[in-house]
């Protein structure tokens, strides 16, 4: 899918592709979403560039993500998608700046793209005179979206923390089962924070590269662009620190949860150990009087059977009272 936006009164307006695109008509933003070969070729012919393929966008080498070619800047970042779902994902998004035009290439649909595209078409929306401003606006929308996701993740991590350290009179088996469910939630939040941190680091690298290109004198940066890039870098760094803090808290909760599970399991093993010790003396007494010897005085004693039972009960009761007094039961 190809969406084209042109400048109109310092704002963006969509171009109807059914009526064709005039060869001299200025275009601010080419948005390629899962593009076909025809759509890719149209943009390449219009700007004189080679758009990277999906496999090339997934390369992790910095030289394959941030480079210049044919007079254009090619900047690929890792964006976070599906942050509201249980299965967040990271997807590559490529920004190509050629003159005053911007090309975005993506094979997923992060929500900030939809939000920003709707916002810039409003009469009272932010001014977008160049493709660079559109790119900065998209990055700001991604930062805002990431901040909202971090806020929700922080609240959910706090809820998990209260659940882990709450006092409960539930049975050991039920508490262990609840803690196992918490481990799954902790794992999901850990995956989300990993994706967010990777996305924020990618944004920081992209903006730093763009600022370096501007500072090299190849393109004069407008005052507004410089201010916005500084804000994006600062926001990405601060959110990255917050994500790191939440990640450390998640690791702490994971260790604490595993420790609580070990304590519950040790408590169960402790009960079995105490029971084995308590019943060991009665077993000894029963074993002695179960021997088949001819000469055993108690065998012919009328009170031998009650005597043996009393010895078994007494030998079991004494260890039980001892353990109870020591607080082991």
């Amino acid at each position: 899918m190809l969406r084209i936006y042109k400048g109109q009164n310092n704002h963006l307006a969509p171009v109807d592709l059914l009526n064709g695109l005039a060869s001299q008509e200025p275009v601010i933003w080419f948005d390629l979403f899962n593009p076909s070969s025809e759509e890719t070729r149209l943009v390449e012919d219009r700007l004189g560039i080679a758009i990277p393929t999906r496999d090339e966008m997934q390369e992790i080498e910095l030289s394959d993500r941030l480079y210049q070619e044919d007079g254009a800047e090619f900047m690929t970042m890792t964006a976070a998608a599906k942050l509201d779902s249980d299965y967040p994902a990271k997807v590559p998004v490529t920004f190509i700046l050629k003159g005053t035009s911007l090309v975005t290439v993506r094979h997923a649909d992060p929500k900030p793209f939809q939000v920003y595209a709707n916002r810039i078409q409003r009469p009272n929306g932010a001014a977008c005179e160049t493709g660079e401003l559109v790119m900065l606006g998209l990055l700001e929308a991604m930062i805002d979206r990431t901040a909202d996701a971090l806020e929700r993740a922080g609240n959910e991590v706090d809820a998990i923390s209260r659940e882990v350290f709450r006092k409960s009179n539930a049975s050991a088996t039920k508490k262990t089962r609840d803690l196992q469910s918490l481990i799954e939630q902790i794992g999901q939040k850990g995956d989300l924070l990993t994706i967010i941190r990777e996305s924020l680091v990618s944004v920081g690298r992209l903006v730093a590269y763009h600022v370096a290109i501007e500072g090299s004198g190849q393109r004069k940066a407008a005052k507004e662009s410089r201010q916005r890039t500084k804000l994006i870098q600062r926001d990405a760094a601060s959110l990255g620190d917050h994500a790191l803090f939440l990640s450390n808290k998640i690791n702490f909760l994971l260790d604490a949860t595993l420790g609580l599970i070990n304590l519950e399991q040790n408590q169960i093993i402790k009960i079995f150990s105490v029971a084995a010790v308590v019943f060991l003396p009665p077993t000894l007494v029963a074993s002695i009087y179960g021997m088949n010897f001819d000469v055993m005085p108690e065998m012919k004693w009328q009170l031998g059977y009650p005597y043996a039972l009393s010895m078994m009960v007494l030998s079991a009761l004494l260890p039980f009272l001892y353990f109870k007094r020591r607080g082991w039961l």
Side-chain angles (χ1 to χ4, degrees):
M1 179 184 297
L2 172 61
R3 298 186 182 97
I4 298 178
Y5 299 88
K6 65 180 180 179
Q8 186 176 8
N9 298 326
N10 292 333
H11 294 84
L12 296 186
V15 176
D16 188 3
L17 294 179
L18 296 178
N19 298 327
L21 179 64
S23 59
Q24 301 300 325
E25 188 174 6
V27 174
I28 302 298
W29 181 18
F30 296 91
D31 184 22
L32 290 168
F33 171 47
N34 279 332
S36 63
S37 56
E38 293 78 8
E39 293 169 340
T40 301
R41 193 177 305 110
L42 185 151
V43 177
E44 290 178 339
D45 294 341
R46 179 65 182 258
L47 298 179
I49 58 175
I51 294 178
T53 63
R54 185 170 187 171
D55 292 336
E56 293 173 343
M57 292 171 59
Q58 293 176 344
E59 296 289 340
I60 62 174
E61 293 88 349
L62 198 60
S63 59
D64 292 331
R65 288 190 156 225
L66 305 172
Y67 61 94
Q68 286 184 291
E69 188 177 85
D70 298 326
E73 287 182 53
F74 291 79
M75 296 167 286
T76 301
M77 63 164 289
T78 300
K82 301 179 181 179
L83 293 178
D84 292 334
S85 67
D86 294 333
Y87 303 98
K90 55 182 181 180
V91 294
V93 176
T94 298
F95 296 92
I96 305 173
L97 281 177
K98 178 72 176 289
T100 58
S101 298
L102 169 70
V103 180
T104 55
V105 187
R106 54 197 176 94
H107 297 275
D109 195 16
K111 195 171 182 179
F113 277 79
Q114 303 175 11
V115 174
Y116 183 75
N118 295 331
R119 184 191 306 164
I120 59 177
Q121 297 180 52
R122 300 171 185 170
N124 57 348
C128 299
E129 302 174 357
T130 63
E132 181 186 18
L133 295 179
V134 175
M135 181 187 73
L136 296 179
L138 287 170
L139 293 177
E140 289 171 346
M142 292 182 181
I143 292 291
D144 293 340
R145 176 74 169 165
T146 302
D148 294 339
L150 278 177
E151 184 178 359
R152 289 194 303 273
N155 294 334
E156 292 171 354
V157 169
D158 291 339
I160 293 174
S161 178
R162 290 191 296 269
E163 187 70 17
V164 169
F165 297 108
R166 67 184 173 92
K167 293 183 179 180
S168 176
N169 295 325
S171 63
T173 303
K174 186 175 185 300
K175 289 171 67 176
T176 303
R177 187 162 55 246
D178 293 341
L179 292 175
Q180 289 175 348
S181 174
L182 288 176
I183 287 180
E184 296 178 0
Q185 299 179 36
I186 290 173
Q188 291 178 352
K189 300 310 168 192
D191 290 340
L192 173 63
L193 291 173
T194 300
I195 292 174
I196 288 177
R197 288 182 60 193
E198 185 173 350
S199 177
L200 291 172
V201 170
S202 182
V203 170
R205 289 176 177 174
L206 186 150
V207 176
Y209 175 80
H210 181 65
V211 171
I213 294 298
E214 288 181 338
S216 65
Q218 298 185 26
R219 182 176 62 254
K220 184 178 180 180
K223 182 179 180 180
E224 179 184 0
S225 298
R226 291 197 302 270
Q227 292 176 347
R228 292 176 69 176
T229 52
K230 289 181 181 178
L231 288 175
I232 292 173
Q233 284 180 304
R234 185 184 64 186
D235 291 343
S238 61
L239 290 178
D241 293 338
H242 186 59
L244 179 60
F245 163 74
L246 291 179
S247 296
N248 293 334
K249 189 172 183 179
I250 281 290
N251 291 331
F252 166 72
L253 289 177
L254 179 60
D255 293 338
T257 305
L258 294 175
L260 290 176
I261 290 178
N262 288 331
L263 289 176
E264 296 299 335
Q265 292 176 343
N266 291 338
Q267 184 67 23
I268 296 174
I269 298 301
K270 176 183 175 181
I271 294 175
F272 284 106
S273 300
V274 171
V277 173
V278 167
F279 289 104
L280 183 60
T283 303
L284 177 62
V285 174
S287 300
I288 292 175
Y289 286 102
M291 297 179 183
N292 296 321
F293 290 109
D294 292 335
V295 182
M296 290 187 71
E298 292 85 352
M299 295 292 291
K300 298 180 181 180
W301 186 25
Q302 188 175 5
L303 298 178
Y305 178 68
Y307 172 78
L309 290 180
S310 301
M311 289 291 295
M312 293 171 64
V313 172
L314 183 62
S315 62
L317 187 60
L318 290 177
F320 177 79
L321 294 177
Y322 177 76
F323 291 152
K324 190 74 173 179
R325 187 173 182 180
R326 295 294 298 270
W328 295 350
L329 291 177

